[in-house]
Amino acid sequence: MLQALAIRDVVLIERLDLAFGPGLSVLTGETGAGKSILLDSLGLALGQRAEAGLVRAGQNQASVSAAFQPPTSHPAFALLIEQGIEAEDEIVLRRVVQADGKSRAFVNDQPVGVALLRRLGALLVEVQGQHDQVGLADPAGHAALLDAFGALETDRTQVATAHRAWRDAERALDAAQKAIAEAQADEEWLRHAVAELGALAPQEGEEEALATRRQGLQHGERRAEAVAAALAELTPRDRRRGGGPADALRSAARALERMPGQDQAQQEGIQPALTLLGMAQDALSEAETLLTRMVQDAAPDPRALEQTEERLFALRAAARKHAVAVVELPDLLESLKARLSSLDAGTGRVAALEKAARENRTAYVAAANALTQARTEAGARLEKALSRELVPLKLDRARVTATLTPRPEAAWGADGQDRVEFLVSTNPGQTPGALAKIASGGELSRLMLALKVVLSRGSPVPTLVFDEVDSGIGGATAAAVGDRLTKVAARVQVLVVTHSPQVAARGAAHFQVAKRLRDGRAETRVLALDTGARREEIARMLAGEKVTEAARAAADELLAAVG
């Protein structure tokens, strides 16, 4: 509900802070006192059009803040979360208007667009005035209101569930048909690609394993080449001609051994050299043997590297052809196989999906027809309930009907097949029309009040504002209006601007709007009236300019009657 309204520098209001409670709050005052300024200020906070003329003369800006505390399950909180705004217990809508007419909007002190402010305002407050009604005047919400009146939540849920199942089946069928159409268009390529990739048979992780093996084979080949080169240096290419290091060592040893004219001392001097040459020959022979063994052991398979590279390059060529990474080739093959399988088995699957779509459509139509029938019955009960409410409101000639118009299949939705609209005729023989177009201002306000008495349980809006719903009536009719406002206020918060003492006496809270001069300047103020002041205000409304004791006595009777 609306907890507080803070107004700064709006037209004749310099500073005003109002607090509201549950139930019925009435605002009274003489014509021209500024009651409309209060409603314009509230409308500003609810996202209505901002105008420079709202800014108090001589000020740079005007501002209005409206604080609400709706139930925790209220849809306004879901909207805040959707918009990324922290949802607190209290929702504060604020609007600032500059002297040039430009405005800024805030929700819980976070800047927002005026469109969001308007969406939140529509969820929190419904204004029923003589000239621009919202809420019930908008046919978009009539179906939900009728369903709530008729307690058709279960029927509506069944329709929504059936509609979702039908649409899901239609989407599955559409996707299958598109997939088959695409597959058929590419059938020749698809079969070739599956055969080609199937023959290639790419394996998961194969590229990395092949690359590692290729690198190892290349290193092994280079090592074998190095060992062979070393061995070639030790082994003469033509052993008959000699020239290798082993032959050189043997030749050196023979030359020393054949040295002529050696005595004992010379023999002993040559012997170490011969020993070393022998050792060198042995070491060289051992190295040659070792290198020979290494060549034999490390000799690469002449086809291994070639085969590895052929496989690796074939995988990479296939990946380039299909514009994917090599690691994605196995999944691509499975995907192409699945497409081919869907093509081969597509006719049967589409037939099954077509059958499912037909069955789900039939289920939806059955549920929607049941909802239509239930709405028709609920509409008849609604018309009777409204007829009872309209008589004491001096609208006994008016007739409100809940009209159900079939929508084309393309417009069927989770809320059924019907377009629901409340139509009204105010005189016998008159063709029923839209609420906002048929009735006069006062009639429309009272029609809205009657509808609210009957339908208020179906609306999530926690605060209703009625602007002069009692215009042009008095006596018993005004008392009937007050009685119905009280009924509505038992369910939701109601604020009413009234000139009727019978209505004013019904209020749980009473605010007086008055205009006074201060420093030669007109100013609007609002006072919360206590019991004595309230008695005087109702007496003024009864008597006019001069309050008499008889008027006070009549005010006492009105207050006692509703006390």
PDB file of all heavy atoms in Angstrom, residues 493-528:
ATOM      1  N   GLN A 493      -6.211  -0.824  -0.050  1.00  0.00           N
ATOM      2  CA  GLN A 493      -6.170   0.564   0.394  1.00  0.00           C
ATOM      3  C   GLN A 493      -6.900   1.440  -0.621  1.00  0.00           C
ATOM      4  O   GLN A 493      -6.709   1.309  -1.828  1.00  0.00           O
ATOM      5  CB  GLN A 493      -4.718   1.018   0.516  1.00  0.00           C
ATOM      6  CG  GLN A 493      -4.547   2.453   1.033  1.00  0.00           C
ATOM      7  CD  GLN A 493      -3.101   2.908   0.946  1.00  0.00           C
ATOM      8  OE1 GLN A 493      -2.433   2.670  -0.068  1.00  0.00           O
ATOM      9  NE2 GLN A 493      -2.604   3.550   1.988  1.00  0.00           N
ATOM     10  N   VAL A 494      -7.746   2.357  -0.123  1.00  0.00           N
ATOM     11  CA  VAL A 494      -8.512   3.247  -0.998  1.00  0.00           C
ATOM     12  C   VAL A 494      -8.309   4.685  -0.553  1.00  0.00           C
ATOM     13  O   VAL A 494      -8.435   5.017   0.629  1.00  0.00           O
ATOM     14  CB  VAL A 494     -10.017   2.899  -0.977  1.00  0.00           C
ATOM     15  CG1 VAL A 494     -10.804   3.881  -1.838  1.00  0.00           C
ATOM     16  CG2 VAL A 494     -10.254   1.470  -1.459  1.00  0.00           C
ATOM     17  N   LEU A 495      -7.999   5.549  -1.524  1.00  0.00           N
ATOM     18  CA  LEU A 495      -7.950   6.990  -1.308  1.00  0.00           C
ATOM     19  C   LEU A 495      -9.012   7.609  -2.190  1.00  0.00           C
ATOM     20  O   LEU A 495      -9.092   7.290  -3.384  1.00  0.00           O
ATOM     21  CB  LEU A 495      -6.582   7.575  -1.690  1.00  0.00           C
ATOM     22  CG  LEU A 495      -5.433   7.483  -0.676  1.00  0.00           C
ATOM     23  CD1 LEU A 495      -5.056   6.032  -0.412  1.00  0.00           C
ATOM     24  CD2 LEU A 495      -4.214   8.243  -1.194  1.00  0.00           C
ATOM     25  N   VAL A 496      -9.861   8.482  -1.621  1.00  0.00           N
ATOM     26  CA  VAL A 496     -10.933   9.069  -2.399  1.00  0.00           C
ATOM     27  C   VAL A 496     -10.986  10.569  -2.167  1.00  0.00           C
ATOM     28  O   VAL A 496     -10.926  11.043  -1.032  1.00  0.00           O
ATOM     29  CB  VAL A 496     -12.291   8.407  -2.076  1.00  0.00           C
ATOM     30  CG1 VAL A 496     -12.646   8.521  -0.603  1.00  0.00           C
ATOM     31  CG2 VAL A 496     -13.403   8.989  -2.940  1.00  0.00           C
ATOM     32  N   VAL A 497     -11.029  11.299  -3.269  1.00  0.00           N
ATOM     33  CA  VAL A 497     -11.273  12.744  -3.219  1.00  0.00           C
ATOM     34  C   VAL A 497     -12.781  12.940  -3.357  1.00  0.00           C
ATOM     35  O   VAL A 497     -13.386  12.479  -4.333  1.00  0.00           O
ATOM     36  CB  VAL A 497     -10.527  13.464  -4.360  1.00  0.00           C
ATOM     37  CG1 VAL A 497     -10.876  14.954  -4.349  1.00  0.00           C
ATOM     38  CG2 VAL A 497      -9.029  13.263  -4.218  1.00  0.00           C
ATOM     39  N   THR A 498     -13.391  13.604  -2.384  1.00  0.00           N
ATOM     40  CA  THR A 498     -14.851  13.650  -2.360  1.00  0.00           C
ATOM     41  C   THR A 498     -15.374  15.005  -1.919  1.00  0.00           C
ATOM     42  O   THR A 498     -14.712  15.732  -1.161  1.00  0.00           O
ATOM     43  CB  THR A 498     -15.401  12.549  -1.415  1.00  0.00           C
ATOM     44  OG1 THR A 498     -16.823  12.601  -1.422  1.00  0.00           O
ATOM     45  CG2 THR A 498     -14.891  12.741   0.002  1.00  0.00           C
ATOM     46  N   HIS A 499     -16.577  15.326  -2.422  1.00  0.00           N
ATOM     47  CA  HIS A 499     -17.335  16.488  -1.940  1.00  0.00           C
ATOM     48  C   HIS A 499     -18.570  16.032  -1.180  1.00  0.00           C
ATOM     49  O   HIS A 499     -19.404  16.859  -0.794  1.00  0.00           O
ATOM     50  CB  HIS A 499     -17.767  17.362  -3.129  1.00  0.00           C
ATOM     51  CG  HIS A 499     -16.635  18.107  -3.763  1.00  0.00           C
ATOM     52  ND1 HIS A 499     -16.017  19.183  -3.166  1.00  0.00           N
ATOM     53  CD2 HIS A 499     -16.002  17.918  -4.948  1.00  0.00           C
ATOM     54  CE1 HIS A 499     -15.055  19.645  -3.962  1.00  0.00           C
ATOM     55  NE2 HIS A 499     -15.027  18.885  -5.037  1.00  0.00           N
ATOM     56  N   SER A 500     -18.704  14.726  -0.973  1.00  0.00           N
ATOM     57  CA  SER A 500     -19.902  14.182  -0.347  1.00  0.00           C
ATOM     58  C   SER A 500     -19.650  13.937   1.145  1.00  0.00           C
ATOM     59  O   SER A 500     -18.748  13.184   1.506  1.00  0.00           O
ATOM     60  CB  SER A 500     -20.291  12.872  -1.025  1.00  0.00           C
ATOM     61  OG  SER A 500     -21.260  12.183  -0.267  1.00  0.00           O
ATOM     62  N   PRO A 501     -20.446  14.533   2.021  1.00  0.00           N
ATOM     63  CA  PRO A 501     -20.292  14.261   3.459  1.00  0.00           C
ATOM     64  C   PRO A 501     -20.585  12.803   3.795  1.00  0.00           C
ATOM     65  O   PRO A 501     -19.996  12.258   4.724  1.00  0.00           O
ATOM     66  CB  PRO A 501     -21.296  15.210   4.122  1.00  0.00           C
ATOM     67  CG  PRO A 501     -22.266  15.571   3.043  1.00  0.00           C
ATOM     68  CD  PRO A 501     -21.509  15.529   1.759  1.00  0.00           C
ATOM     69  N   GLN A 502     -21.515  12.174   3.050  1.00  0.00           N
ATOM     70  CA  GLN A 502     -21.819  10.768   3.310  1.00  0.00           C
ATOM     71  C   GLN A 502     -20.601   9.882   3.042  1.00  0.00           C
ATOM     72  O   GLN A 502     -20.350   8.912   3.764  1.00  0.00           O
ATOM     73  CB  GLN A 502     -22.988  10.312   2.420  1.00  0.00           C
ATOM     74  CG  GLN A 502     -24.324  10.912   2.788  1.00  0.00           C
ATOM     75  CD  GLN A 502     -24.586  12.217   2.057  1.00  0.00           C
ATOM     76  OE1 GLN A 502     -23.661  12.830   1.527  1.00  0.00           O
ATOM     77  NE2 GLN A 502     -25.834  12.666   2.060  1.00  0.00           N
ATOM     78  N   VAL A 503     -19.833  10.225   2.014  1.00  0.00           N
ATOM     79  CA  VAL A 503     -18.611   9.479   1.720  1.00  0.00           C
ATOM     80  C   VAL A 503     -17.530   9.829   2.725  1.00  0.00           C
ATOM     81  O   VAL A 503     -16.822   8.953   3.240  1.00  0.00           O
ATOM     82  CB  VAL A 503     -18.140   9.760   0.276  1.00  0.00           C
ATOM     83  CG1 VAL A 503     -16.774   9.123   0.029  1.00  0.00           C
ATOM     84  CG2 VAL A 503     -19.168   9.247  -0.729  1.00  0.00           C
ATOM     85  N   ALA A 504     -17.378  11.110   3.021  1.00  0.00           N
ATOM     86  CA  ALA A 504     -16.323  11.548   3.940  1.00  0.00           C
ATOM     87  C   ALA A 504     -16.480  10.904   5.308  1.00  0.00           C
ATOM     88  O   ALA A 504     -15.484  10.589   5.977  1.00  0.00           O
ATOM     89  CB  ALA A 504     -16.341  13.067   4.062  1.00  0.00           C
ATOM     90  N   ALA A 505     -17.719  10.707   5.728  1.00  0.00           N
ATOM     91  CA  ALA A 505     -17.955  10.127   7.053  1.00  0.00           C
ATOM     92  C   ALA A 505     -17.500   8.682   7.128  1.00  0.00           C
ATOM     93  O   ALA A 505     -17.302   8.141   8.217  1.00  0.00           O
ATOM     94  CB  ALA A 505     -19.439  10.229   7.401  1.00  0.00           C
ATOM     95  N   ARG A 506     -17.294   8.034   5.989  1.00  0.00           N
ATOM     96  CA  ARG A 506     -16.895   6.626   5.966  1.00  0.00           C
ATOM     97  C   ARG A 506     -15.394   6.436   6.162  1.00  0.00           C
ATOM     98  O   ARG A 506     -14.942   5.322   6.373  1.00  0.00           O
ATOM     99  CB  ARG A 506     -17.293   6.012   4.613  1.00  0.00           C
ATOM    100  CG  ARG A 506     -18.786   5.884   4.403  1.00  0.00           C
ATOM    101  CD  ARG A 506     -19.293   4.634   5.054  1.00  0.00           C
ATOM    102  NE  ARG A 506     -20.709   4.410   4.787  1.00  0.00           N
ATOM    103  CZ  ARG A 506     -21.337   3.280   5.075  1.00  0.00           C
ATOM    104  NH1 ARG A 506     -20.658   2.285   5.605  1.00  0.00           N
ATOM    105  NH2 ARG A 506     -22.626   3.152   4.842  1.00  0.00           N
ATOM    106  N   GLY A 507     -14.639   7.477   6.045  1.00  0.00           N
ATOM    107  CA  GLY A 507     -13.190   7.341   6.035  1.00  0.00           C
ATOM    108  C   GLY A 507     -12.600   6.871   7.351  1.00  0.00           C
ATOM    109  O   GLY A 507     -13.014   7.307   8.431  1.00  0.00           O
ATOM    110  N   ALA A 508     -11.610   5.988   7.266  1.00  0.00           N
ATOM    111  CA  ALA A 508     -10.841   5.624   8.451  1.00  0.00           C
ATOM    112  C   ALA A 508      -9.855   6.734   8.794  1.00  0.00           C
ATOM    113  O   ALA A 508      -9.445   6.884   9.945  1.00  0.00           O
ATOM    114  CB  ALA A 508     -10.094   4.319   8.201  1.00  0.00           C
ATOM    115  N   ALA A 509      -9.464   7.506   7.786  1.00  0.00           N
ATOM    116  CA  ALA A 509      -8.609   8.677   7.971  1.00  0.00           C
ATOM    117  C   ALA A 509      -9.173   9.794   7.109  1.00  0.00           C
ATOM    118  O   ALA A 509      -9.703   9.549   6.017  1.00  0.00           O
ATOM    119  CB  ALA A 509      -7.173   8.373   7.573  1.00  0.00           C
ATOM    120  N   HIS A 510      -9.052  11.028   7.589  1.00  0.00           N
ATOM    121  CA  HIS A 510      -9.657  12.171   6.902  1.00  0.00           C
ATOM    122  C   HIS A 510      -8.612  13.273   6.773  1.00  0.00           C
ATOM    123  O   HIS A 510      -8.017  13.707   7.762  1.00  0.00           O
ATOM    124  CB  HIS A 510     -10.878  12.667   7.691  1.00  0.00           C
ATOM    125  CG  HIS A 510     -11.726  13.639   6.948  1.00  0.00           C
ATOM    126  ND1 HIS A 510     -13.082  13.762   7.173  1.00  0.00           N
ATOM    127  CD2 HIS A 510     -11.443  14.555   5.963  1.00  0.00           C
ATOM    128  CE1 HIS A 510     -13.573  14.698   6.384  1.00  0.00           C
ATOM    129  NE2 HIS A 510     -12.577  15.196   5.651  1.00  0.00           N
ATOM    130  N   PHE A 511      -8.387  13.714   5.523  1.00  0.00           N
ATOM    131  CA  PHE A 511      -7.444  14.793   5.254  1.00  0.00           C
ATOM    132  C   PHE A 511      -8.202  15.969   4.646  1.00  0.00           C
ATOM    133  O   PHE A 511      -9.018  15.793   3.734  1.00  0.00           O
ATOM    134  CB  PHE A 511      -6.353  14.345   4.274  1.00  0.00           C
ATOM    135  CG  PHE A 511      -5.510  13.207   4.784  1.00  0.00           C
ATOM    136  CD1 PHE A 511      -5.896  11.892   4.558  1.00  0.00           C
ATOM    137  CD2 PHE A 511      -4.346  13.440   5.512  1.00  0.00           C
ATOM    138  CE1 PHE A 511      -5.122  10.837   5.022  1.00  0.00           C
ATOM    139  CE2 PHE A 511      -3.583  12.391   5.983  1.00  0.00           C
ATOM    140  CZ  PHE A 511      -3.970  11.089   5.739  1.00  0.00           C
ATOM    141  N   GLN A 512      -7.907  17.160   5.155  1.00  0.00           N
ATOM    142  CA  GLN A 512      -8.533  18.371   4.620  1.00  0.00           C
ATOM    143  C   GLN A 512      -7.516  19.122   3.776  1.00  0.00           C
ATOM    144  O   GLN A 512      -6.399  19.397   4.220  1.00  0.00           O
ATOM    145  CB  GLN A 512      -9.031  19.273   5.744  1.00  0.00           C
ATOM    146  CG  GLN A 512      -9.724  20.540   5.239  1.00  0.00           C
ATOM    147  CD  GLN A 512      -9.979  21.519   6.366  1.00  0.00           C
ATOM    148  OE1 GLN A 512      -9.072  21.810   7.146  1.00  0.00           O
ATOM    149  NE2 GLN A 512     -11.206  22.026   6.452  1.00  0.00           N
ATOM    150  N   VAL A 513      -7.918  19.435   2.557  1.00  0.00           N
ATOM    151  CA  VAL A 513      -7.071  20.210   1.656  1.00  0.00           C
ATOM    152  C   VAL A 513      -7.590  21.646   1.665  1.00  0.00           C
ATOM    153  O   VAL A 513      -8.781  21.890   1.405  1.00  0.00           O
ATOM    154  CB  VAL A 513      -7.108  19.634   0.236  1.00  0.00           C
ATOM    155  CG1 VAL A 513      -6.151  20.398  -0.683  1.00  0.00           C
ATOM    156  CG2 VAL A 513      -6.760  18.148   0.245  1.00  0.00           C
ATOM    157  N   ALA A 514      -6.722  22.570   1.965  1.00  0.00           N
ATOM    158  CA  ALA A 514      -7.138  23.970   2.067  1.00  0.00           C
ATOM    159  C   ALA A 514      -6.078  24.865   1.430  1.00  0.00           C
ATOM    160  O   ALA A 514      -4.901  24.516   1.352  1.00  0.00           O
ATOM    161  CB  ALA A 514      -7.347  24.357   3.541  1.00  0.00           C
ATOM    162  N   LYS A 515      -6.550  26.053   1.003  1.00  0.00           N
ATOM    163  CA  LYS A 515      -5.641  27.032   0.419  1.00  0.00           C
ATOM    164  C   LYS A 515      -5.639  28.271   1.296  1.00  0.00           C
ATOM    165  O   LYS A 515      -6.693  28.720   1.739  1.00  0.00           O
ATOM    166  CB  LYS A 515      -6.073  27.362  -1.016  1.00  0.00           C
ATOM    167  CG  LYS A 515      -5.115  28.289  -1.741  1.00  0.00           C
ATOM    168  CD  LYS A 515      -5.334  28.262  -3.258  1.00  0.00           C
ATOM    169  CE  LYS A 515      -6.735  28.622  -3.647  1.00  0.00           C
ATOM    170  NZ  LYS A 515      -6.900  28.638  -5.128  1.00  0.00           N
ATOM    171  N   ARG A 516      -4.440  28.799   1.526  1.00  0.00           N
ATOM    172  CA  ARG A 516      -4.330  29.995   2.356  1.00  0.00           C
ATOM    173  C   ARG A 516      -3.305  30.932   1.726  1.00  0.00           C
ATOM    174  O   ARG A 516      -2.524  30.537   0.867  1.00  0.00           O
ATOM    175  CB  ARG A 516      -3.899  29.625   3.783  1.00  0.00           C
ATOM    176  CG  ARG A 516      -2.495  29.059   3.853  1.00  0.00           C
ATOM    177  CD  ARG A 516      -2.069  28.798   5.270  1.00  0.00           C
ATOM    178  NE  ARG A 516      -0.684  28.303   5.314  1.00  0.00           N
ATOM    179  CZ  ARG A 516      -0.023  28.054   6.445  1.00  0.00           C
ATOM    180  NH1 ARG A 516      -0.637  28.223   7.615  1.00  0.00           N
ATOM    181  NH2 ARG A 516       1.220  27.624   6.405  1.00  0.00           N
ATOM    182  N   LEU A 517      -3.332  32.173   2.196  1.00  0.00           N
ATOM    183  CA  LEU A 517      -2.345  33.149   1.747  1.00  0.00           C
ATOM    184  C   LEU A 517      -1.246  33.265   2.784  1.00  0.00           C
ATOM    185  O   LEU A 517      -1.515  33.398   3.988  1.00  0.00           O
ATOM    186  CB  LEU A 517      -3.002  34.524   1.536  1.00  0.00           C
ATOM    187  CG  LEU A 517      -3.914  34.668   0.321  1.00  0.00           C
ATOM    188  CD1 LEU A 517      -4.544  36.064   0.294  1.00  0.00           C
ATOM    189  CD2 LEU A 517      -3.145  34.416  -0.969  1.00  0.00           C
ATOM    190  N   ARG A 518      -0.021  33.206   2.334  1.00  0.00           N
ATOM    191  CA  ARG A 518       1.116  33.412   3.223  1.00  0.00           C
ATOM    192  C   ARG A 518       2.110  34.336   2.526  1.00  0.00           C
ATOM    193  O   ARG A 518       2.593  34.004   1.436  1.00  0.00           O
ATOM    194  CB  ARG A 518       1.795  32.084   3.562  1.00  0.00           C
ATOM    195  CG  ARG A 518       2.803  32.220   4.698  1.00  0.00           C
ATOM    196  CD  ARG A 518       3.416  30.901   5.071  1.00  0.00           C
ATOM    197  NE  ARG A 518       4.345  30.431   4.051  1.00  0.00           N
ATOM    198  CZ  ARG A 518       5.168  29.398   4.217  1.00  0.00           C
ATOM    199  NH1 ARG A 518       5.140  28.718   5.353  1.00  0.00           N
ATOM    200  NH2 ARG A 518       5.969  29.028   3.251  1.00  0.00           N
ATOM    201  N   ASP A 519       2.358  35.471   3.186  1.00  0.00           N
ATOM    202  CA  ASP A 519       3.237  36.491   2.602  1.00  0.00           C
ATOM    203  C   ASP A 519       2.735  36.911   1.229  1.00  0.00           C
ATOM    204  O   ASP A 519       3.513  37.099   0.277  1.00  0.00           O
ATOM    205  CB  ASP A 519       4.678  35.966   2.488  1.00  0.00           C
ATOM    206  CG  ASP A 519       5.266  35.614   3.853  1.00  0.00           C
ATOM    207  OD1 ASP A 519       4.881  36.276   4.833  1.00  0.00           O
ATOM    208  OD2 ASP A 519       6.093  34.680   3.918  1.00  0.00           O
ATOM    209  N   GLY A 520       1.397  37.033   1.110  1.00  0.00           N
ATOM    210  CA  GLY A 520       0.805  37.484  -0.130  1.00  0.00           C
ATOM    211  C   GLY A 520       0.818  36.450  -1.236  1.00  0.00           C
ATOM    212  O   GLY A 520       0.564  36.778  -2.410  1.00  0.00           O
ATOM    213  N   ARG A 521       1.046  35.199  -0.885  1.00  0.00           N
ATOM    214  CA  ARG A 521       1.176  34.148  -1.912  1.00  0.00           C
ATOM    215  C   ARG A 521       0.288  32.964  -1.531  1.00  0.00           C
ATOM    216  O   ARG A 521       0.267  32.535  -0.368  1.00  0.00           O
ATOM    217  CB  ARG A 521       2.633  33.711  -1.985  1.00  0.00           C
ATOM    218  CG  ARG A 521       2.961  32.795  -3.130  1.00  0.00           C
ATOM    219  CD  ARG A 521       4.451  32.607  -3.184  1.00  0.00           C
ATOM    220  NE  ARG A 521       4.864  31.817  -4.329  1.00  0.00           N
ATOM    221  CZ  ARG A 521       6.127  31.560  -4.643  1.00  0.00           C
ATOM    222  NH1 ARG A 521       7.100  32.065  -3.901  1.00  0.00           N
ATOM    223  NH2 ARG A 521       6.412  30.839  -5.702  1.00  0.00           N
ATOM    224  N   ALA A 522      -0.467  32.446  -2.520  1.00  0.00           N
ATOM    225  CA  ALA A 522      -1.354  31.317  -2.259  1.00  0.00           C
ATOM    226  C   ALA A 522      -0.535  30.056  -1.986  1.00  0.00           C
ATOM    227  O   ALA A 522       0.481  29.798  -2.627  1.00  0.00           O
ATOM    228  CB  ALA A 522      -2.286  31.089  -3.442  1.00  0.00           C
ATOM    229  N   GLU A 523      -1.023  29.265  -1.021  1.00  0.00           N
ATOM    230  CA  GLU A 523      -0.325  28.031  -0.659  1.00  0.00           C
ATOM    231  C   GLU A 523      -1.356  26.961  -0.305  1.00  0.00           C
ATOM    232  O   GLU A 523      -2.325  27.227   0.397  1.00  0.00           O
ATOM    233  CB  GLU A 523       0.589  28.292   0.532  1.00  0.00           C
ATOM    234  CG  GLU A 523       1.330  27.061   1.023  1.00  0.00           C
ATOM    235  CD  GLU A 523       2.151  27.365   2.264  1.00  0.00           C
ATOM    236  OE1 GLU A 523       1.572  27.396   3.369  1.00  0.00           O
ATOM    237  OE2 GLU A 523       3.363  27.572   2.115  1.00  0.00           O
ATOM    238  N   THR A 524      -1.138  25.746  -0.815  1.00  0.00           N
ATOM    239  CA  THR A 524      -2.016  24.614  -0.488  1.00  0.00           C
ATOM    240  C   THR A 524      -1.404  23.829   0.662  1.00  0.00           C
ATOM    241  O   THR A 524      -0.202  23.527   0.656  1.00  0.00           O
ATOM    242  CB  THR A 524      -2.195  23.692  -1.704  1.00  0.00           C
ATOM    243  OG1 THR A 524      -2.934  24.386  -2.710  1.00  0.00           O
ATOM    244  CG2 THR A 524      -2.958  22.427  -1.323  1.00  0.00           C
ATOM    245  N   ARG A 525      -2.236  23.485   1.624  1.00  0.00           N
ATOM    246  CA  ARG A 525      -1.783  22.668   2.743  1.00  0.00           C
ATOM    247  C   ARG A 525      -2.794  21.559   2.975  1.00  0.00           C
ATOM    248  O   ARG A 525      -3.959  21.648   2.585  1.00  0.00           O
ATOM    249  CB  ARG A 525      -1.616  23.509   4.011  1.00  0.00           C
ATOM    250  CG  ARG A 525      -2.898  24.124   4.511  1.00  0.00           C
ATOM    251  CD  ARG A 525      -2.709  24.828   5.836  1.00  0.00           C
ATOM    252  NE  ARG A 525      -3.974  25.284   6.380  1.00  0.00           N
ATOM    253  CZ  ARG A 525      -4.137  25.771   7.615  1.00  0.00           C
ATOM    254  NH1 ARG A 525      -3.085  25.869   8.407  1.00  0.00           N
ATOM    255  NH2 ARG A 525      -5.319  26.150   8.033  1.00  0.00           N
ATOM    256  N   VAL A 526      -2.327  20.502   3.594  1.00  0.00           N
ATOM    257  CA  VAL A 526      -3.176  19.347   3.877  1.00  0.00           C
ATOM    258  C   VAL A 526      -3.037  19.010   5.352  1.00  0.00           C
ATOM    259  O   VAL A 526      -1.915  18.848   5.858  1.00  0.00           O
ATOM    260  CB  VAL A 526      -2.789  18.129   3.015  1.00  0.00           C
ATOM    261  CG1 VAL A 526      -3.690  16.942   3.328  1.00  0.00           C
ATOM    262  CG2 VAL A 526      -2.875  18.477   1.533  1.00  0.00           C
ATOM    263  N   LEU A 527      -4.194  18.898   6.018  1.00  0.00           N
ATOM    264  CA  LEU A 527      -4.192  18.591   7.456  1.00  0.00           C
ATOM    265  C   LEU A 527      -4.864  17.249   7.699  1.00  0.00           C
ATOM    266  O   LEU A 527      -5.928  16.959   7.130  1.00  0.00           O
ATOM    267  CB  LEU A 527      -4.938  19.678   8.228  1.00  0.00           C
ATOM    268  CG  LEU A 527      -4.387  21.100   8.138  1.00  0.00           C
ATOM    269  CD1 LEU A 527      -5.309  22.066   8.870  1.00  0.00           C
ATOM    270  CD2 LEU A 527      -2.985  21.167   8.719  1.00  0.00           C
ATOM    271  N   ALA A 528      -4.243  16.434   8.536  1.00  0.00           N
ATOM    272  CA  ALA A 528      -4.884  15.201   9.004  1.00  0.00           C
ATOM    273  C   ALA A 528      -5.805  15.583  10.158  1.00  0.00           C
ATOM    274  O   ALA A 528      -5.355  16.126  11.171  1.00  0.00           O
ATOM    275  CB  ALA A 528      -3.832  14.201   9.453  1.00  0.00           C
TER     276      ALA A 528
END
